[in-house]
Every structure is written in structure tokens, then in C-alpha cells.
Amino acid sequence: MTSYEQAILAAKAIDSKKGLDIQVIEISDVSVLADYMVIATGTSSTHVKALADEIEYKLDEAGVSVSHIEGYRSNTWILLDYVDVIVNVFSDEARKFYDLDRLWQDGKPVDLTGIID
């Protein structure tokens, strides 16, 4: 599975659990960290955790194991590291505070029209 397919599968998993403001950003040209950064927002700490669980479940089902998870106990920002894809699930307040959308603005946003609702 390519890194693009992993990022899209993560976005679909987030969308299936009603995650908000889903962004997939191609960062391979601006960073060596990963190929794609996925950013989304949950409506509560329980929702943030549920989104992270769904992402991990769907990617694991597709044969892609998470390399590392950070923030699972805080439930305001959970980071799932899939080596070539980094998924960030935030509470609304944490997303505004850390502002990763601005930080990765030099990356190329992936058009999710027709991929997610």
C-alpha cells in the first residue's frame, strides 16, 4: 500500500466516524519526516480517542501497523505515526493552539472531493 493510499484510508476512517475539518497534506517535498500529514478534529476527548482507534483499526485491517502513538492518554492531540504518513487528531482547542495547518502550509493539500463526504 502506498503512502498516498494510507493517507486516504486514514481520512476515510476519520470521515466514517464524523471527524471534522479533515486535511491531507503532501509534505514529501518540504520535509523528510513523512510523505503525508493528515490532520483532523474531534468534537470531544472521547471523540478524539474514537477517531484514533478507528484509524488504527482500519489501517491495521489493511495490513499497515502503526509505528508509534503519542498522546493517547491526553485525548486532546493523538498522533499516529505510520512512518510515511503521520496522522494528527486534535480537539478543537488543541488544533487552534498548535496550528499544524499553518506549519505545513508549504505542503500540497490533497483534494478530498469525492473521497470523503
Side-chain angles (χ1 to χ4, degrees), residues 71-110:
Y72 199 74
R73 291 202 172 123
S74 77
N75 294 337
T76 58
W77 177 12
I78 299 176
L79 181 144
L80 298 100
D81 183 355
Y82 287 94
V83 183
D84 293 329
V85 177
I86 299 173
V87 183
N88 300 274
V89 183
F90 289 100
S91 67
D92 189 47
E93 303 79 33
R95 184 163 181 175
K96 288 175 184 166
F97 180 79
Y98 291 104
D99 201 9
L100 291 189
D101 302 82
R102 184 189 56 76
L103 182 66
W104 294 108
Q105 68 186 354
D106 291 339
K108 292 190 309 194
V110 174

Side-chain angles (χ1 to χ4, degrees), residues 56 59-60 64-69 79-83:
E56 188 176 7
L59 282 163
D60 193 49
V64 183
S65 297
V66 66
S67 172
H68 190 74
I69 299 175
L79 181 144
L80 298 100
D81 183 355
Y82 287 94
V83 183

Side-chain angles (χ1 to χ4, degrees), residues 41-54:
T41 304
T43 56
S44 67
S45 59
T46 305
H47 191 215
V48 168
K49 187 177 182 304
L51 292 172
D53 288 345
E54 183 69 7

Side-chain angles (χ1 to χ4, degrees), residues 3-4 7-8 11 21-31 34-40 84-86 88 95 99-112:
S3 55
Y4 173 79
I8 295 303
D21 197 14
I22 304 165
Q23 301 290 321
V24 176
I25 305 167
E26 183 180 354
I27 61 168
S28 58
D29 292 340
V30 295
S31 176
D35 294 337
Y36 291 91
M37 184 73 59
V38 180
I39 306 169
D84 293 329
V85 177
I86 299 173
N88 300 274
R95 184 163 181 175
D99 201 9
L100 291 189
D101 302 82
R102 184 189 56 76
L103 182 66
W104 294 108
Q105 68 186 354
D106 291 339
K108 292 190 309 194
V110 174
D111 183 9
L112 298 175

